[in-house]
């Protein structure tokens, strides 16, 4: 032993001496470090240090409650998320603790190289279309901006400034510049990409030139939705990869200082997703596009001078796999780093731990080849990648103010392991030694609003800096003050008439001194927000009159008089204009055009004071109050007033700095008429319309002049005010503007737009040779959302075109379109429940809280992803079966989707793993019972915690959402347990037969024909009891004549006696349910009992006797089977059947409990809606359901009129979405089917479905596609419908039989039909299209067919 130790020690000494004496190898190409003498030891040491840091970071992780919310995709609590202090990240440490903070616009670090960059790239998989955009916020109001586009069949486009990338930011608090705007809609879920501007068509340039080329107007809008989890380079890089790169370097204290500094100052994370949007290119048809691609967010410090080289591969493959591979050389730290990640279709992410990619061999001489091959490993898999570069779509971009960086953005196609196709880019970065070749970029000066001063002056001249503050003088006043300041910078090219602003402090002082005004405004607010009842219009008229009659306070009159005198605007003969300037008016959020008062041609001080009172009064006109209320703005508002010298214009009008209809930024549109601009602004005369083309340098050319009739014009009246005169025919027949004046106006407008950085609607006037600017409000229309965007804004993203999406099962539970609030709560709760179930069954290994893996959304309709639903079947779990799963979800086996197809996308587990998954799954199902008991006990006293105001109540709902999610997870677990018992029962009954015949299914229906304690089957029984009680009281005829209000009032009164008692017992027992009961917008029967009335009346009109269904005990049911069952099989059936029947009852019970929890939250949201209306946040309660849950929180924080308008547009679109129809089975993204004429056929036809309840009946078909049409159901009809839910239950006693297009053995309709002994088949595709109401049909529940017979 001592001998062996000695030998080992000797070898170790020799090895160490050899290491010490050996020289380190030279870097590759003089730049890229390679493993040296102590590489192995350094790598091991660093791995130990890295894992220690990782453990320390995890020990400081968020609380278990926060982790649970993140797992459910709920993020941080939605109220007052604090702005975090900027801290360093990297090397296993995250720089932010909340999703909202990570995804928000970041505060730039005090460093000249500070950045906050967002990048998107997306590709179609069917043609050569791609989009690449980027906005990188930088210091001093600058950004780096990329726009690259190729549209198949049209060509390549790039921003006119490229290959230069530096540009002025449109707004320092957004990712916007150069017409491009990137906006986070929901952290890690959805972003909006919008571009409106000019792009250069043609080959991409690699050198800067002043030549503009062919510029076309392009407008595009996309919603990007994630289908992958987030890869954070701070925390998720594979330890081996980072240890490898650091171990190659020469270690020193300076090296580690630089390494720490670099990692502390840079955060970078990425996510893959799907783009859905539309693009409009000048001269071409509008295109709707679906792309897949990556989103990148980086912030911190990035000094391009430190970056020597990198090669970045970004690729997405047709099987749903996504790859990021980066070879990076940073001179001061890691000169040969190879990192990256792989995103798998099942939601897993894995850091790349090894790659043979090397910068020395990949165009190190700046000659980029056509083909490259690299290999890498991740998640214990080897990937071989072939990269083919498209040289025709390779752009060169220069980054940094001095062009320190040269980036080749090359579009590429990929092959993974030679077979799987992929699309993406390969990016080559080089240090640019030649320096900047374009003129220096300087941020355009923009008016900077001063802070609201803390003094209370009553007037301000337009030249006063404080007058540029919107919050102090309103939008119009601030813009005039800003234009007054701009005039100094433009060499006096235009004039702003002299004047003053009466700030908001004056109105506040005026109201403070007049209590009657305060009371009148308070009364208007109370009635508008429904806190009190009253006639709002009359109150507004009274308030307006009170304002007009109330004389200005002496202090205000004196201040106005003194300032007008100082400005030499009194006693000179000049006329004055007094104009309203309300807070929030003429902003990007709101215009309020035409609602507020403007008084023109005023001659004396008394008229001015009267006009000021009229302006203040107009703030509370009925139109103005309604405008604010309808946009969720406070009814009590504030206003500044502008008093200006009036220009006796010869010609006046408006100028739009972009086309107001198309948003074309290369076009200006002028509307002009003789005299004052009022005839143009109010549309009283048809003006001249002049269209200008304007290039990027502001050079304007007249494209066309359309001479209007100009039959009249407005001028100042001699006695004061203004008057209308008719235009001379000779003047009306010619353009009222000379060409030189048109071009001057264009030049001025270009400078104003450049200063504001946004398109403007400019009011102007001309007197002599002088141009006057009277207003420059932002154009608020071209960025508005289209119907297409609203239709698809919540569509879920699919990682591959091989996903199978079905309306079955989920379409039965939630037919039709759902509201945004339901999508953000109920849909995500079901998604969480299914992900948890799949994790326990072995289908996935981790949660994907920001993605829809199991449920899909298209046009607000819900779908189930069969690829994901079958990922946890026999290929990954010994006790699950795709065949059984298909029958439960679809009512048939989907042979077109094979296990082989699923394995190709989601993979397959080894035998030992399948055994482990089976054991884990069984344990999970065992705990479902105890979880169910806990839930039922909790629901006996559960409530949302009360609050004193809307925001606090929203917070309470948000805090308790975890309970909501857990309730649905428990329900889904119990449903799965029921499915397992059903699978065992069918397996024993089939005796191992692979094909399940109609006879077999008929036998299964017999076994389930008697299931006790089915809660949903009790509903029609209770409705029949109510109807019978009405008959017993001899009130049938009278009750049927009552309207809904009177009928419900009687049922809830003491006069109704036993009937009322039964009705109230029904509401107590089942009142939490209703049609589409999971939809939060649908009030339950308890909250809206009128919904029950049609069913009660239909039952009351029925003469059908109560159903007496045969009750089969297990022995009798087994004895009546037609299938051949062995004696062992019968023994097993006797053991299984009671448990399977109980499982069905438990399944229905737990669904009812989950719906009960749903109703608690539904009621809470309606209460929240009421509170928000009372507090003025919403115009009506119904609108709340057209926000997502997180958007409601934003309404409290931002009170944005734009958000209210968007919700109103969603509500308007819902009816159209409800009318959409989809195929039952969709491969890839579902598409609505055309709603053509009825497909009902003449003559005989036989349709096949799945037997769920036996029997044979002949009768009249009643095709009912919606519960809203249920009133047409007659006694004895055979119902033909898409699906049924609990809302249909009251109509079951009227039916003779039922056929549904979707459903399964344990679906709601099947369970209740068996309880009624009513023949029923489900999964009968196209039944509502091929059959028509009035057809005579034969329903054979035993064979699973419905036959239309020839009436002749």
């Amino acid at each position: 032993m001592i001998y062996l130790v000695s030998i080992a020690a000797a070898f170790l000494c020799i090895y160490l001496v050899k290491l010490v004496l050996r020289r380190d190898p030279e870097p590759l190409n003089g730049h890229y470090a390679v493993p040296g003498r102590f590489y192995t030891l350094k790598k091991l040491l660093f791995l130990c240090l890295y894992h220690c840091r990782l453990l320390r970071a995890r020990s400081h992780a968020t609380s278990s409650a926060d982790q649970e919310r993140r797992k459910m995709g709920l993020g941080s609590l939605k109220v007052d998320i604090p702005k975090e202090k900027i801290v360093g990240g990297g090397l296993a440490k995250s720089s932010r603790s909340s999703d909202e903070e990570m995804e928000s616009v970041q505060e730039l670090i005090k460093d000249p190289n500070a950045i906050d960059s967002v990048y998107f790239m997306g590709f179609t998989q069917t043609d050569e279309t791609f989009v690449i955009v980027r906005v990188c916020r930088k210091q001093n109001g600058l950004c780096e901006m990329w726009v690259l586009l190729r549209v198949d069949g049209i060509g390549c486009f790039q921003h006119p400034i490229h290959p230069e990338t530096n540009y002025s930011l449109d707004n320092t608090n957004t990712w916007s510049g150069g017409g491009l705007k990137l906006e986070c809609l929901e952290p890690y879920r959805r972003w909006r990409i919008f571009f409106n501007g000019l792009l250069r068509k043609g080959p991409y340039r690699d050198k800067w030139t002043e030549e503009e080329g062919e510029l076309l107007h392009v407008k595009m809008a996309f919603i990007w939705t994630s289908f992958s989890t987030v890869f954070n380079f701070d925390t998720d890089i594979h330890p081996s990869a980072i240890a490898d790169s650091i171990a190659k370097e020469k270690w020193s204290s300076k090296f580690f200082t630089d390494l720490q500094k670099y990692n502390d100052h840079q955060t970078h994370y990425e996510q893959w997703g799907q783009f859905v949007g539309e693009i409009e290119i000048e001269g071409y048809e509008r295109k709707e596009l679906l792309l897949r691609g990556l989103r990148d967010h980086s912030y911190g410090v990035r000094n391009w001078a430190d970056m020597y080289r990198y090669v970045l591969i970004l690729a997405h493959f047709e099987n749903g796999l996504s790859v990021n591979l980066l070879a990076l050389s940073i001179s001061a730290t890691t000169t040969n780093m190879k990192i990256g990640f792989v995103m798998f279709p099942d939601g897993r992410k894995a850091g790349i731990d090894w790659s043979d990619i090397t910068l020395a061999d990949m165009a190190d001489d700046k000659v980029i080849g056509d083909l490259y091959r690299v290999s890498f490993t991740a998640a214990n898999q080897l990937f071989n990648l072939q990269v083919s570069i498209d040289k025709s779509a390779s752009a060169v971009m220069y980054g940094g103010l001095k062009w320190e960086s040269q980036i080749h953005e090359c579009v590429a196609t990929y092959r993974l392991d030679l077979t799987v196709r992929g699309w993406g880019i390969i990016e080559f970065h080089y240090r640019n030694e030649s320096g900047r070749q374009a003129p220096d970029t300087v941020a355009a000066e923009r008016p900077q609003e001063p802070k609201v001063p803390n003094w209370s002056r009553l007037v301000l001249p337009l030249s006063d800096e404080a007058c540029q503050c919107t919050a102090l003088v309103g939008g119009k006043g601030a813009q005039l003050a800003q234009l007054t300041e701009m005039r100094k910078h433009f060499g006096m090219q235009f004039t702003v008439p002299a004047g003053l602003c009466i700030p908001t402090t004056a109105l506040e002082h005026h109201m403070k001194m007049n209590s009657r005004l305060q009371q009148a405004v308070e009364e208007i607010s109370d009635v508008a927000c429904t806190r009190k009842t009253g006639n709002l219009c009359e109150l507004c008229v009274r308030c307006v009159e009170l304002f007009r009659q109330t004389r200005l306070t002496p202090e205000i009159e004196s201040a106005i008089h003194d300032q007008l005198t100082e400005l030499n605007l009194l006693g000179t003969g000049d006329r004055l204009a007094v104009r309203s300037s309300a807070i929030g008016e003429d902003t990007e959020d709101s215009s309020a055009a035409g609602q507020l008062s403007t008084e023109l041609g005023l001659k004396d001080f008394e008229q001015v004071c009267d006009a000021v009172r009229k302006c203040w009064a107009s703030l509370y006109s009925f139109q103005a109050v309604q405008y604010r209320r309808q946009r969720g703005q406070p009814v009590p508002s504030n206003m500044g007033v502008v008093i200006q010298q009036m220009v006796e214009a010869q010609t006046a009008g408006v100028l739009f700095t972009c086309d107001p209809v198309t948003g074309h930024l290369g076009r200006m549109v002028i509307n002009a008429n003789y005299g004052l601009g009022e005839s143009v602004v109010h549309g009283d005369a048809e003006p001249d319309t002049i269209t200008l083309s304007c290039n990027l340098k502001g050079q304007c050319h007249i494209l066309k002049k359309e001479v209007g009739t100009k039959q009249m014009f407005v001028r100042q009246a001699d006695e004061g005010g203004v008057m209308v005169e008719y235009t001379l025919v000779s003047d009306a027949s010619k353009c009222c503007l000379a060409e030189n004046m048109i071009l001057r106006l264009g030049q001025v407008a270009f400078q104003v737009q450049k200063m504001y950085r946004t398109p403007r609607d400019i009011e102007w006037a001309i007197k002599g040779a002088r141009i006057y600017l009277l207003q420059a409000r932002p154009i608020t229309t071209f960025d508005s959302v289209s119907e297409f965007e609203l239709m698809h804004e919540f569509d879920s993203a699919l990682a591959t075109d091989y996903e199978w999406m079905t309306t079955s099962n989920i379409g039965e539970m939630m037919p039709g379109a759902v509201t945004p609030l339901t999508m953000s709560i109920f849909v995500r709760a079901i998604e969480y429940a299914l992900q948890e179930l799949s994790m326990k069954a072995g289908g996935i290994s981790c949660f994907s809280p920001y993605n829809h893996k199991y449920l899909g959304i298209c046009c607000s309709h819900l779908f189930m992803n069969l690829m994901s639903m079958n990922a946890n079947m026999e290929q990954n779990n010994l006790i699950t079966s795709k065949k059984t799963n298909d029958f439960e979800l679809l009512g048939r086996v989907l042979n077109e989707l094979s296990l082989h197809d699923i394995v190709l996308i989601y993979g397959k587990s080894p035998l030992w793993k399948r055994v482990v998954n089976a054991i884990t799954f069984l344990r999970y199902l065992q705990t479902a019972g105890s979880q169910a008991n806990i839930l039922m006990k909790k629901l006996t006293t559960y409530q949302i915690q009360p609050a004193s105001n809307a925001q606090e109540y929203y917070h309470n709902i948000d805090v308790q959402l975890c309970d909501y999610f857990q309730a649905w997870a428990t329900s889904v677990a119990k449903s799965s347990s029921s499915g397992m018992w059903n699978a065992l029962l069918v397996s024993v009954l089939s005796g191992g037969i692979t094909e399940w015949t109609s006879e077999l299914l008929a036998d299964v229906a017999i076994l389930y024909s008697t299931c006790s304690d089915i809660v949903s089957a009790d509903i029609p029984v209770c409705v029949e009891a109510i109807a019978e009680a009405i008959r017993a009281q001899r009130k049938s005829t009278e009750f049927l004549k009552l309207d809904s209000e009177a009928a419900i009032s009687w049922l809830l009164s003491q006069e109704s006696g036993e009937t009322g008692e039964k009705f109230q017992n029904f509401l107590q027992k089942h009142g939490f349910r209703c049609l589409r009961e999971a939809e939060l917008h649908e009030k339950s029967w308890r909250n809206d009992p009128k919904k029950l009335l049609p069913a009660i009346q239909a039952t009351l009109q029925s003469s059908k006797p109560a159903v007496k269904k045969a009750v089969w005990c297990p022995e009798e049911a087994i004895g009546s089977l037609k299938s051949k069952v062995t004696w062992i099989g019968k023994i097993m059936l006797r053991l299984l059947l009671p448990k399977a029947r109980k499982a069905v009852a438990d399944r229905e019970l737990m669904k009812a409990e989950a719906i009960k929890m749903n109703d608690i939250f539904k009621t809470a949201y309606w209460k929240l809606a009421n509170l928000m209306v009372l507090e003025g946040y919403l115009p009506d309660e119904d609108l709340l359901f057209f926000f997502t849950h997180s958007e409601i929180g934003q309404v409290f924080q931002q009170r944005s009129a734009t958000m209210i308008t968007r919700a109103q547009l969603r509500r308007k679109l819902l009816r159209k979405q409800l009318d959409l129809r989809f195929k039952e089975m969709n491969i890839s993204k579902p598409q609505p089917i055309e709603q053509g004429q009825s497909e009902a056929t003449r003559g005989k036809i036989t349709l096949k479905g799945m037997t769920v309840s036996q029997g044979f009946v002949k009768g009249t078909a009643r095709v009912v596609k919606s519960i809203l049409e249920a009133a047409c159901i007659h006694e004895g009809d055979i119902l033909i419908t898409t699906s049924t839910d609990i809302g249909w239950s009251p109509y079951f006693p009227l039916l003779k039989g039922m056929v549904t297009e979707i459903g399964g053995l344990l679906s709601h309709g099947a369970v209740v039909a068996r309880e009624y002994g009513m023949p029923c088949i489900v999964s009968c595709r196209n039944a509502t299209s091929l059959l028509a109401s009035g057809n005579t049909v034969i329903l054979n529940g035993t064979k699973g067919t419905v036959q239309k017979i020839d009436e002749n």
Side-chain angles (χ1 to χ4, degrees), residues 660-701:
V661 178
T662 66
H664 195 318
L665 288 173
R667 300 285 183 269
M668 290 185 182
V669 178
I670 300 174
N671 293 141
N673 193 10
Y674 297 111
L676 304 179
E678 298 306 295
S679 63
V680 178
V681 173
H682 295 151
D684 296 328
E686 182 190 352
D688 294 335
T689 301
I690 302 106
T691 304
L692 304 176
S693 69
C694 184
N695 68 13
L696 300 175
K697 297 176 183 176
Q699 296 169 339
C700 297
H701 301 279

Side-chain angles (χ1 to χ4, degrees), residues 21 28 169 196 255 289 293 416 505 541 580 597 706 745 790 795 799 830 834 931 1042 1126 1200-1201 1268 1278:
L21 295 178
L28 293 175
L169 273 169
N196 181 63
F255 169 77
L289 296 175
L416 185 64
T505 51
V541 170
S580 302
S597 181
E706 299 172 69
L745 271 174
L790 287 170
D795 286 6
I830 297 295
L834 291 172
Q931 289 296 319
L1042 294 175
T1126 64
S1200 166
L1268 299 176
I1278 296 175

Side-chain angles (χ1 to χ4, degrees), residues 122-127 129-131 221-225 227 273-279 287-293 316 788 792 795-801 857-858 1227-1231:
F123 294 79
T124 60
Q125 295 181 194
T126 54
D127 56 34
T129 300
F130 69 80
V131 175
F222 293 97
I223 297 292
W224 179 92
T225 307
F227 58 63
Q274 172 183 286
F275 301 71
V276 174
E278 51 188 352
I279 184 167
K287 281 199 168 192
E288 296 174 1
L289 296 175
L290 186 148
L291 309 94
R292 294 187 177 95
H316 180 74
F788 179 88
H792 295 279
D795 286 6
S796 53
L798 300 177
T800 168
D801 285 335
I857 300 172
C858 181
I1227 301 177
S1228 189
K1229 183 178 175 62
Q1231 296 294 332

Side-chain angles (χ1 to χ4, degrees), residues 836-884:
E836 184 176 60
L837 183 74
S838 189
M839 276 188 66
K840 301 300 182 182
I844 57 174
S845 58
C846 60
F847 280 100
S848 296
Y850 308 108
N851 318 128
H852 289 284
K853 295 295 182 184
Y854 293 87
L855 294 184
I857 300 172
C858 181
C859 302
S860 298
H861 285 248
L862 304 186
F863 300 83
M864 193 162 277
N865 189 325
L866 290 177
M867 289 287 282
S868 299
M869 292 299 296
N870 284 309
N872 54 343
M873 294 302 117
E874 54 260 50
Q875 75 276 21
N876 286 316
N877 193 309
L878 281 183
I879 62 171
T880 53
S881 163
K882 175 185 178 295
K883 186 177 180 180
T884 305

